[in-house]
């Protein structure tokens, strides 16, 4: 199409191509497809950039841990609400070790916000999180909105068991993170830290825990994981 300019048709609410001879060429579908292609390329570029950021995060952690003689510990720790409310001190210690990237899922932030009026521990966790994020601590961040695997099955779960529904949302985040390292085997990339033992959880959450583990995710009670970290630190101290 040559010597063409665009004008806006108010009746049709569309931009139409108009040739110099005044004849309108209704090629809006072609223009819309062009815009859709641009948007698709932009979205793909954002996904690629996000994957590169995640790979860089993991590589930095691997560089600091590659000489350590200790059982493998996941580079990503994803915490639930109970972990922040009941074991905040342990989370602070783990963060201070500079061995992990702690991810705060969006559903956990929502849960803390709901609890803050009546739960002092939730308020303390929120203040601490706000402080760390404001300081720009590179070892902790919140889940980004696109960081979720929508293939996780949660049909009607919110009405049946809200806690289980939130846990499945955490799994969505973890599945996404585990798939971004560019490796076929994502086993051990991500550990979900629980504020309660599996035995203390509802039957639906126990089922979700089993599903997460079968999908390559680690799920551990936070106190048990912290013991492993302490053993790791001791081994590193003996070597140095």
């Amino acid at each position: 199409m040559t010597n063409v300019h665009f004008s806006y048709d108010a009746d049709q609410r569309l931009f139409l191509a108009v040739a110099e001879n005044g004849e309108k060429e209704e090629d809006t579908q072609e223009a819309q497809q062009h815009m859709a292609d641009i948007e698709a390329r932009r979205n793909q570029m954002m996904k690629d950039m996000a994957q590169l950021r995640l790979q860089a995060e993991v590589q930095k952690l691997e560089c600091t841990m590659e000489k350590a003689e200790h059982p493998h510990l996941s580079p990503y720790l994803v915490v639930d609400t109970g972990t922040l409310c009941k074991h905040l001190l342990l989370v602070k210690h783990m963060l201070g070790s500079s061995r992990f990237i702690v991810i705060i899922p969006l559903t956990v932030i929502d849960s803390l916000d709901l609890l803050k009026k009546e739960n002092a521990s939730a308020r303390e966790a929120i203040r601490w999180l706000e402080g760390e994020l404001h300081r720009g601590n590179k070892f902790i961040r919140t889940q980004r909105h696109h960081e979720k695997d929508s293939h996780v099955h949660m049909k009607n779960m919110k009405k049946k068991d809200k806690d289980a529904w939130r846990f499945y949302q955490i799994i969505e985040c973890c599945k996404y993170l585990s798939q971004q390292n560019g490796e076929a085997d994502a086993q051990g990339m991500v550990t979900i830290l629980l504020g309660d033992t599996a035995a203390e959880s509802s039957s639906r959450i126990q089922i979700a825990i089993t599903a997460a583990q079968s999908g390559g995710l680690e799920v551990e009670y936070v106190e048990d994981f912290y013991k492993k970290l302490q053993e790791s630190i001791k081994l590193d101290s003996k070597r140095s």
Side-chain angles (χ1 to χ4, degrees):
M1 187 169 55
T2 59
N3 298 324
V4 172
H5 66 274
F6 288 85
S7 65
Y8 183 73
D9 189 316
D11 293 330
Q12 300 184 53
R13 296 183 179 180
L14 293 173
F15 281 97
L16 300 177
V18 182
E20 283 189 344
N21 59 9
E23 294 181 359
K24 296 182 179 179
E25 298 181 12
E26 298 185 10
D27 60 344
T28 55
Q29 289 185 349
E30 180 182 346
Q32 290 171 354
Q33 183 61 47
H34 178 65
M35 294 302 295
D37 291 342
I38 292 175
E39 183 66 16
R41 288 196 296 270
R42 188 182 74 86
N43 290 337
Q44 185 59 50
M45 182 178 68
M46 291 179 65
K47 289 180 180 180
D48 293 342
M49 291 175 64
Q51 183 171 343
L52 289 173
R53 282 198 301 268
L54 289 172
Q55 290 177 4
E57 288 175 354
V58 174
Q59 288 169 1
K60 286 180 181 178
L61 289 174
E62 287 175 344
C63 287
T64 63
M65 298 171 66
E66 60 184 359
K67 296 181 180 179
E69 294 181 357
H70 53 68
H72 174 71
L73 299 175
S74 302
Y76 286 110
L77 302 182
V78 180
V79 298
D80 70 355
T81 306
T83 298
L84 291 175
C85 288
K86 300 176 184 179
H87 306 280
L88 184 58
L89 184 60
L90 297 186
V91 176
K92 291 178 180 179
H93 286 320
M94 287 186 283
L95 194 64
S97 73
S98 302
R99 293 168 179 252
F100 317 100
I101 299 216
V102 178
I103 305 293
I104 313 298
L106 295 176
T107 188
V108 170
I109 295 174
D110 290 341
S111 181
L112 290 173
D113 190 57
L114 291 173
L115 292 171
K116 66 183 180 183
K117 291 183 178 179
E118 300 178 357
N119 190 310
S121 296
R123 292 194 295 272
E124 181 183 0
I126 290 171
R127 286 194 297 269
W128 175 74
L129 281 174
E130 289 176 342
E132 293 301 310
L133 296 174
H134 181 72
R135 288 196 307 111
N137 189 332
K138 64 182 180 180
F139 294 105
I140 184 171
R141 67 172 177 83
T142 59
Q143 173 193 2
R144 300 182 179 103
H145 286 280
H146 68 276
E147 292 179 333
K148 57 183 179 180
D149 184 340
S150 58
H151 294 95
V152 178
H153 181 70
M154 294 190 298
K155 187 177 180 180
N156 299 325
M157 181 61 68
K158 188 174 183 179
K159 294 180 180 179
K160 296 178 181 178
D161 188 331
K162 197 163 188 177
D163 290 336
W165 175 76
R166 289 192 181 280
F167 190 77
Y168 273 105
Q169 287 192 307
I170 293 174
I171 294 176
E172 278 191 338
C173 173
C174 295
K175 290 293 288 183
Y176 178 90
L177 293 172
S178 69
Q179 295 166 4
Q180 301 308 304
N181 195 37
E183 297 179 359
D185 184 9
Q187 184 79 30
M189 276 290 297
V190 182
T191 293
I192 301 174
L193 296 182
L194 303 176
D196 297 303
T197 63
E200 296 172 310
S201 304
S202 71
S203 59
R204 286 195 177 94
I205 290 182
Q206 291 181 29
I207 292 172
I209 290 172
T210 301
Q213 291 171 330
S214 65
L217 301 175
E218 304 287 338
V219 184
E220 293 198 46
Y221 178 47
V222 62
E223 290 189 4
D224 293 338
F225 186 88
Y226 184 66
K227 290 176 183 177
K228 291 182 179 180
L229 173 60
Q230 288 180 309
E231 293 173 1
S232 169
I233 293 173
K234 288 179 181 178
L235 287 173
D236 291 347
S237 297
K238 291 179 180 179
R239 290 187 72 252
S240 59

